[in-house]
């Protein structure tokens, strides 16, 4: 949730029972823009949503459900998803006398949950949040342009939330799949390519940009890699790529940012970068 910096309670004849809060500033959530970002950034957003789901399921007040769980209720703060509107939050678990009373209806699917001996629908608040996270976020942000090696695991995550199977709970999503995806993505192993590259230390190519997708830079091709071998593999996969530049910047997972270039005619000194130029016959 949003970080609260301060609040002011006002009680006067003109404005009774008014509470003003000061919170951190976030950017509106635009799904089309998110789909144009790198998969790594979209995974970070989903991971922050998983943390929120786990907190809502185990909050000090009990299990909390967001009755108006839609993208417009969220913002992006420093690359992570945060909920802004808690007016429709509820801690009431539905009462029941039989399983038929625990019926959840959604536009595409319906679910029936078990009725506990205490007369409450088991985990209804948590399940409602999970399915809404699936239909509004996970189904769009996780599979789209994901690394091929991670797709079986991502399918398992999406199915767990979409089908309410035995793994469909916030604890499972927080402590197993998310950590596994993060670990496998940051420790990716890539076979060395046969193409030869000349290493030029403390050097940068300021121009010679071309666009690629997804890119961290809208006017060039800036991607994250695990190591030099992966950068070579990426450069070899683009016909226009003739060189790449390792920067000293990393993504939130620790992967190194690399500029890919279509020529190396103009190389300038830069102590914070290393340039690799493709050797041609």
């Amino acid at each position: 949730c949003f970080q609260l910096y301060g609040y002011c309670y006002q009680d006067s004849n003109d404005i009774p029972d008014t509470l003003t809060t000061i919170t951190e500033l976030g950017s509106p959530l635009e799904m089309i823009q998110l789909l144009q970002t790198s998969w790594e950034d979209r995974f970070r957003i989903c991971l922050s949503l998983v943390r929120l789901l786990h907190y809502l399921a185990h909050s000090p007040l009990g299990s909390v459900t967001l009755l108006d769980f839609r993208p417009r209720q969220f913002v992006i703060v420093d690359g992570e998803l945060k909920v802004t509107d808690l007016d429709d939050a509820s801690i009431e678990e539905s009462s029941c006398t039989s399983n038929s009373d625990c019926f959840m209806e959604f536009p595409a699917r319906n679910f029936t949950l078990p009725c506990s001996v205490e007369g409450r629908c088991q985990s209804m608040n948590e399940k409602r949040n999970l399915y809404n996270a699936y239909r509004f976020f996970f189904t769009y942000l996780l599979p789209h342009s994901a690394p091929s090696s991670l797709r079986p695991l991502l399918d398992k995550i999406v199915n767990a939330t979409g089908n309410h199977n035995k793994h469909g709970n916030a604890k499972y999503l927080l402590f197993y799949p998310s950590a596994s995806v993060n670990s496998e993505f940051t420790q990716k192993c890539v076979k060395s390519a046969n193409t030869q590259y000349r290493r030029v230390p403390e050097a940068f190519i300021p121009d010679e940009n071309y666009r690629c997708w997804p890119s961290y830079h809208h006017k060039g091709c800036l991607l994250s890699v695990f190591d030099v071998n992966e950068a070579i593999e990426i450069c070899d996969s683009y016909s226009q790529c003739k060189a790449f530049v390792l920067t000293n910047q990393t993504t939130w997972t620790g992967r190194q940012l690399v500029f890919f270039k279509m020529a190396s005619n103009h190389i300038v000194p830069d102590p914070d970068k290393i340039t690799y130029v493709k050797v041609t016959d």
Side-chain angles (χ1 to χ4, degrees), residues 33 36-41 204-224 238 245 247 249 251 256-261 273:
Q33 292 181 2
Q36 296 173 347
T37 62
S38 69
W39 182 86
E40 192 174 1
D41 284 347
F204 179 62
I205 303 173
D207 302 312
E208 309 296 350
N209 292 312
Y210 66 89
R211 294 184 178 181
C212 66
W213 187 90
S215 174
Y216 287 90
H217 193 281
H218 68 283
K219 291 185 178 180
C221 186
L222 180 63
L223 303 175
S224 69
Y238 287 98
V245 180
T247 73
Q249 297 176 300
T251 65
Q256 193 168 11
L257 289 177
V258 176
F259 277 106
F260 294 88
K261 304 288 184 173
K273 297 179 178 62

Side-chain angles (χ1 to χ4, degrees), residues 209-273:
N209 292 312
Y210 66 89
R211 294 184 178 181
C212 66
W213 187 90
S215 174
Y216 287 90
H217 193 281
H218 68 283
K219 291 185 178 180
C221 186
L222 180 63
L223 303 175
S224 69
V225 302
F226 175 69
D227 58 12
V228 174
N229 287 335
E230 185 175 358
I232 291 175
E233 183 185 61
I234 292 174
C235 190
D236 286 346
S237 68
Y238 287 98
S239 60
Q240 65 267 53
C241 183
K242 305 301 180 185
F244 60 87
V245 180
L246 297 179
T247 73
N248 62 352
Q249 297 176 300
T250 59
T251 65
W252 68 280
T253 59
R255 287 167 61 90
Q256 193 168 11
L257 289 177
V258 176
F259 277 106
F260 294 88
K261 304 288 184 173
M262 60 182 180
S264 57
N265 299 324
H266 180 47
I267 299 179
V268 299
D270 191 322
D272 296 325
K273 297 179 178 62

Side-chain angles (χ1 to χ4, degrees), residues 114-186:
C115 179
S116 68
V117 295
E118 293 82 11
R120 296 288 179 181
C121 296
Q122 292 184 13
S123 305
M124 178 169 278
N125 286 346
E126 180 181 8
K127 296 293 187 181
R128 183 184 287 111
N129 288 339
L130 284 168
Y131 188 77
N132 281 326
Y134 157 79
R135 69 190 185 108
F136 286 120
F137 292 97
F138 296 152
T139 190
Y140 297 109
L141 300 181
L142 279 179
H144 182 57
S145 71
S148 57
S149 62
L150 296 178
R151 284 173 185 166
L153 183 57
L154 295 175
D155 289 341
K156 190 174 184 179
I157 296 174
V158 173
N159 290 335
T161 54
N163 298 326
H164 279 340
N165 61 25
K166 63 180 180 179
H167 298 308
N169 60 73
K171 183 177 180 180
Y172 170 80
L173 291 178
L174 181 65
F175 292 111
Y176 173 63
S178 299
S180 300
V181 169
N182 193 19
S183 175
E184 188 168 346
F185 186 57
T186 56

